[in-house]
Amino acid sequence: NTFMLSGEHTHDEIIRATDEGGIFIPSFGGGQVDHITGAFVFKAELSYLIERGRITTPVVGVTLTDNCATILLNVDMVGNDSALDDGIGTCGKGGQGVPVGVGQPTIRLAGITVGGTTVEVSKREDA
């Protein structure tokens, strides 16, 4: 089970502080992590563009891929809304699975690879 502690920003502050290039992903689907290299890939079940500090257009087929060790260095805002995910995930290997939970606040990453393209968010100066 993995859980991230709350930070100091509200969810709305994080969205408002993001100008262009942001993607809001409230729900993830399946994914996997290479436990040796830390490389990961996760599919977004639901995602939206963030434009001028507002959540706007739905986006289909978003996949996130990067490296666990380095992606934590790209966290530049942490929300004060930590919560456990409503569902139960499953981690497994070799046909065996075990139920797992996950929880985190809203976070903003300054950059991540989305669908094979590196995306960096631009920050709003007036937020």
Side-chain angles (χ1 to χ4, degrees), residues 63-104:
T63 301
L64 303 179
T65 181
D66 223 299
N67 182 281
C68 296
T70 57
I71 200 65
L72 291 174
L73 298 173
N74 285 334
V75 175
D76 67 353
M77 292 182 85
V78 179
N80 61 5
D81 56 349
S82 288
L84 288 172
D85 184 57
D86 294 341
I88 296 176
T90 302
C91 255
K93 187 172 184 175
Q96 299 178 340
V98 64
V100 295
V102 65
Q104 71 180 55

Side-chain angles (χ1 to χ4, degrees), residues 3-19:
F3 190 81
M4 180 182 278
L5 296 175
S6 286
E8 59 188 48
H9 302 282
T10 68
H11 166 84
D12 291 340
E13 286 173 336
I14 293 172
I15 300 301
R16 280 194 310 268
T18 304
D19 194 21

Side-chain angles (χ1 to χ4, degrees), residues 20-28 42-51 54-64 114-115 117 119:
E20 301 296 326
I23 300 174
F24 175 62
I25 305 174
S27 180
F28 286 92
F42 284 96
K43 180 181 178 223
E45 288 183 349
L46 192 60
S47 57
Y48 303 88
L49 291 178
I50 300 174
E51 300 172 295
R54 295 182 52 221
I55 297 170
T56 62
T57 311
V59 183
V60 180
V62 172
T63 301
L64 303 179
V114 179
T117 302
V119 174

